[in-house]
Structure formats: C-alpha cells, structure tokens
Amino acid sequence: MQNFWNCNMDLTISALWMALALFFITTVLTKIANGRITYDPVCTLPPPPEVRGIALLRLLPTLCTKGPEATMHDLYNKFGSIFTIGFAVDYNTRMEQTRFLVESLRPAQLRSYVDPMLQEVEKYFAKWGEEGVVDLKHEFEELLMLISSRCLVGKEVREKMFGQFCKLFHEIEEGVNFASFMFPYIPIPVNRRRDRARIKLTEILSEVVRSRKSFKRVEEDVLQRFIDSTYKDGRATTIEEVSGMILALIFAGKHTSATTSTWTGACLLSHENFLDAALEEQKCIIGKYNDKIDYRILSEMGTLHNCIKEAARMHPALPTLVRQVKKNIIVRGKEGNEYAIPKGNILVNLVMVNGMLPHIYKDPEVFDPDRFRPGREEDKAGGKFSYTSFGGGRHACGGEAYAYMQIKIIFSHMLRNFELKLISSFPKPDWTKFMPEPKGKLMVSYKRFQLPSN
C-alpha cells in the first residue's frame, strides 16, 4: 500500500485527534503483537479471552478519569497479554451472513428491484413543483430511505410505519461520529438515543418477521431472503439475526449511497462538459427505448456510471479499509522496498489517499470520468486494487451493483425531467463525521422540462 501526505487536505481537529488515536493504538498493539506472534500456531489451542460490551462498559470510569493508556493497562491486567475485542458473532457465522447478503443482491435479484425503485423515484419527484430550490443532500437522504424501506425491508415498513422508522434510523446515524467510534459505550445523550433507537427498530423488524412467519406470507425483498436463508449446517436464521442483518444493510446502503449521490450531483453540476455528456447519453437511450428503463438499459448508461465512479474516487464514502493479515506476507512499496508483514497484523488502506495517487490517476484532483473509459481505464492500468472506493478482494462491497443501480435510476430521472443548477458553493468534506459526507447543504435550483431524444 502506497500513501502520501496531502497538505491541502482539510483536516479538522476531530479528524486529527482520530488519526493520532488510531496511530497510538496501532503502535501499542503492534509492539505487543510483534513480541508474541509465532508462525504456524497449533490450531487446537483455545482462543484468547474475549472482551465484550459489558466488560468495556465497566471500564468507563477508568477511561473517563485516567484515559486510554490506563484503560489498556487495566485490560492487560485483567485478561492477560493476549485478548480480543469480539464481534457480535463468531467469524464463521459472520462470513455465512455475508454470503446471505451477496446472494440477496445478485443480478437475478437486482432485476426485481428496478421497478420498485422507479416507482419510488417517480413518486418522490412528482412532489416537486414546476420550479424551485432544494437542498439536494436532504432530498437524496429522504429518497434513498424510501427506496431502502421498499426494496430491503418491505411494504410493511414502507406503508405503515415509515415516519417512525426514519426517525429512529436517523437517531442511529447521529450516533456514528468520532466520539462514539472511539468510546462506543460512553453514556452521552447521542449514544443513549442511538441505543434506544436500535432497540426499538429491532422490535419493529422482529414483529414484521414474526408476522410473515405466522401467516406464511412471502414478499419480494431482501428481508424475505434473509428470513429464508439457512446456514451450511441447515440451521435457519433467527428473528434477532435477520433484524440485525437488515439494519446493518440499510445503514451501509442508504448512508453511503446518499453520500455518493450528493458528491455526484455536486461534481456533475460543477462540470458542464460532463453534465452535457450525461444528458446526451440519456437522449440516445430515450431515442432507443423511449421512457422504458430496466436492468439491461441501466447497464448501457456508461457515461453516467463513470461520473458516479469518479465522484466516489475523489470522495469515497468510507475513507479507510481495515484488514487483518491471515498469513505471513511480503509487500513491496512503490519505491521497490520489500517488507515482511506477520500474520495477525492489522493493515489499513487509506481509500481517500489511494484514489488520489498521481502515478495511477492523471491529474487526480481533477474530476474526469473519462479516465474510466475503455482504452484508458486508469484504474485497471494502475494494477490490482488501484480503485478501492467499494473495497476489494473477498471483502469487497456486496452491494456495489445495487448502489450503482439505484443512483443511476435517480440521476437518469432527474436529467430527463429537470434543468438543474448548483447555486451554493462546492461542498467540503465534513471530517467531524466517522464516515465523511458533504459539509452543509447542497442548494440546487430546478425547473421542469422534458429531455428530447436524439
């Protein structure tokens, strides 16, 4: 992994403290790990003791009064020189649940989501007037929540309790910040609201699952596919597991898609040449298919696809990717130096830097979707994992195709039906968020019109 320091990066105090904290923790754990790691350990030995939420919660007084270093010493004294911070489930179960997600978003399933997405998009924009001014960031957040509730959770939530569901989900999103990331159990108001909202949302989703099971009702959504999924040993998913997985999927899909949509809108409306190219593409598609849009037609929107991909390169929804080394490896840097990375170490890919490397991307600070066109394809020419805005390898984002599909449906409708103009300044990243999003509002004026065909 090759990285560089961008002096123009707009880091706030929160982001700086986050970086320092991550560096400190990584340094300490690496020093401990390097002194303890053995190669090819005996797999029959018991796993290290695991620190779960309750144990961490009891350390809050030490954390608040003495700081992280004293807290780590307390963990060391209580659990020994080797311990783990646990996930909600074991690794094998988590990998099987990832399989459920991937299978729910395969092309065969994605085709069935196109019409519901189109219906939500058309219904939403029908509420706009003949002309006006909107905060595009807010509009995308609202619309993508509607799409998520329709395609992921199902009509029970979409039709009966959407307002309550959105309010509770927003309270969970508010709990995703640097303070909560570093100290997830600290009893501050935003964390209390987050935890109460999660409990209530779980209750709502559990009731939906129980209702479907009781009445043997089958729906065409991801929630149903999670309900019907089984583990390799034949065990069915539980109500609690289904509720947890669907909440995680909504959070990952809605939040990141809203962020990417906002950046795409800001970039397109700030670059007239690429806006014209996207409009021209829509004219050609209208001439070929009239107003019809399906999965295959969406795949022909190459220009729009590249505009979204370029916005995600410059402004990734997830700025870092964290991976654990599963076997001893050797890595080679850009300068040719080789280093040994022992099994068990943690690697961090700085996605926000990876997409801005000048030896891979020509003029990386410039919005240029053509860099992904056939024949140029800078991301492929740069080598494996040159583009990591949607992750990579076995842990690549399982919802990438779903994300592109819903964003293309939104923008194809907007380009065909509205003249749009950016009237606020181009946004900067909000580094006070754990997952940076455009800071402030994205004010756009609109006027209805009908895009002609070529």
Side-chain angles (χ1 to χ4, degrees), residues 152-189:
L152 303 181
V153 187
K155 66 180 184 180
E156 297 99 330
V157 170
R158 175 66 182 88
E159 295 174 0
K160 299 177 182 178
M161 57 190 78
F162 179 74
Q164 181 188 17
F165 193 91
C166 282
K167 179 179 181 297
L168 293 169
F169 194 83
H170 179 69
E171 290 178 351
I172 289 181
E173 288 184 306
E174 288 294 306
V176 182
N177 51 56
F178 279 122
S180 295
F181 175 76
M182 295 301 297
F183 310 113
Y185 302 101
I186 190 170
I188 57 178

Side-chain angles (χ1 to χ4, degrees), residues 38 40-48:
T38 59
D40 300 319
V42 179
C43 296
T44 55
L45 294 175

Side-chain angles (χ1 to χ4, degrees), residues 248-259:
L249 180 57
I250 294 173
F251 185 85
K254 179 264 178 184
H255 189 89
T256 56
S257 290
T259 297

Side-chain angles (χ1 to χ4, degrees), residues 42 111 113 158 178 202 246 261 285 322 328 368 395 420 429 436:
V42 179
R111 288 182 172 85
Y113 303 145
R158 175 66 182 88
F178 279 122
T202 300
I246 204 70
S261 297
I285 290 176
V322 181
N328 302 326
D368 182 11
H395 295 292
L420 302 167

Side-chain angles (χ1 to χ4, degrees), residues 64-94:
C64 295
T65 58
K66 299 181 181 179
E69 186 174 4
T71 302
M72 283 189 280
H73 279 292
D74 278 8
L75 287 169
Y76 179 91
N77 292 332
K78 184 173 183 178
F79 294 100
S81 61
I82 302 176
F83 56 86
T84 62
I85 306 296
F87 284 93
V89 295
D90 63 272
Y91 176 79
N92 290 332
T93 302
R94 186 160 55 91

